[in-house]
Amino acid sequence: MASNIKIAPSILSADFANLGTEVAAITAAGADYIHVDVMDGHFVPNITIGPDVVKALRPHSDKVFDVHLMISPVDPYIEAFAAAGSDIITIHAEATPHFHRSLQLIKSLGKKAGISLNPGTPVNVIENVMDLVDLVLIMSVNPGFGGQKFIPGSLEKISQVRALIEKEGRDIDLQVDGGINLETVQSVIDAGADVLVAGTATFTGGPDKYAENIKALRGK
Ligand code: DX5
Ligand code: ZN
């Protein structure tokens, strides 16, 4: 299997009473990115964590903090997440009609910018922002909760984004999020994804299993 695959454990599935320890544990276990799911109870039907928690977690890992904002409005909070130590800030195209402006704001703060699409949103809505993005995130479940079933129609969208990235000719991450496990992982890699978010698949079995779980997803 390709060695350029990155694994981004979603701390949504971690023990929230011990988040610092959990972030350190997945770092030691081989995580490439630390995927932080930020939810507001408005854009998605769940509430998770804010910038102060990102800031508190920052010293617990030297890995890339990959912060997935499932919030609307998003612009008023981007600066706080940047200051908290995020490396990549991903917003949803559905969260604001002005996502071009939001991406510009992320870039102006010196951070990598990501754009995410829900399962019901077609890929063509991001064609005109490809020059601004460092990461495209295809949601393969409806966002809000971990442990959901992978939506097979996501594979076609991943292929479409891969073609857009080739056309752009720059290094842009193609991330997939939701329902990634040992059954689905090969199909998303074959479709062109190179950063795999994995919540349940990383954290199942507790800290003793994290390294084994991450290694299994890499397939080597
Ligand atoms: C869903 C989140 C995901 C989620 C993935 O809204 O964006 O990152 O935690 O969880 P699993 O890997 O369990 O599907
Ligand atoms: Zn996520």
Side-chain angles (χ1 to χ4, degrees):
M1 199 178 283
S3 58
N4 58 345
I5 298 300
K6 294 189 176 79
I7 306 296
S10 160
I11 62 168
L12 189 59
S13 297
D15 175 2
F16 270 29
N18 292 295
L19 270 185
T21 310
E22 291 278 68
V23 166
I26 54 173
T27 299
D32 296 293
Y33 291 178
I34 308 299
H35 186 83
V36 183
D37 286 309
V38 177
M39 305 184 184
D40 65 353
H42 170 71
F43 180 66
V44 289
N46 195 2
I47 301 176
T48 57
I49 67 179
D52 288 344
V53 177
V54 173
K55 190 177 175 189
L57 292 175
R58 187 64 268 194
H60 294 265
S61 177
D62 57 2
K63 296 294 178 184
V64 167
F65 266 44
D66 160 32
V67 176
H68 177 192
L69 299 182
M70 288 162 275
I71 63 176
S72 177
V74 62
D75 287 0
Y77 304 101
I78 285 173
E79 203 165 341
F81 281 102
S86 309
D87 298 297
I88 305 170
I89 298 177
T90 298
I91 62 165
H92 268 260
E94 306 86 355
T96 165
H98 304 293
F99 58 87
H100 186 286
R101 178 187 291 151
S102 307
L103 293 168
Q104 284 180 316
L105 174 58
I106 296 168
K107 299 297 285 183
S108 76
L109 296 166
K111 302 298 179 178
K112 290 193 170 180
I115 188 77
S116 182
L117 297 175
N118 283 332
T121 307
V123 166
N124 63 18
V125 305
I126 60 169
E127 276 174 16
N128 294 77
V129 296
M130 286 303 289
D131 59 325
L132 280 174
V133 301
D134 302 290
L135 178 149
V136 177
L137 167 52
I138 294 297
M139 289 305 303
S140 43
V141 298
N142 284 298
F145 305 94
Q148 301 182 78
K149 202 173 169 319
F150 182 84
I151 298 170
S154 316
L155 294 174
E156 173 60 25
K157 291 173 69 180
I158 294 167
S159 305
Q160 290 170 5
V161 175
R162 175 51 62 198
L164 282 183
I165 291 173
E166 296 306 318
K167 197 170 143 204
E168 191 64 22
R170 275 188 306 118
D171 192 16
I172 298 173
D173 284 344
L174 205 180
Q175 186 173 59
V176 59
D177 186 358
I180 300 298
N181 54 38
L182 295 183
E183 273 95 70
T184 55
V185 66
Q186 192 59 53
S187 62
V188 301
I189 292 171
D190 290 346
D194 55 12
V195 185
L196 313 179
V197 177
T200 307
T202 299
F203 287 93
T204 296
D208 290 347
K209 294 282 182 195
Y210 297 167
E212 195 181 307
N213 291 344
I214 290 171
K215 195 172 166 202
L217 287 170
R218 289 189 206 280
K220 61 179 186 190

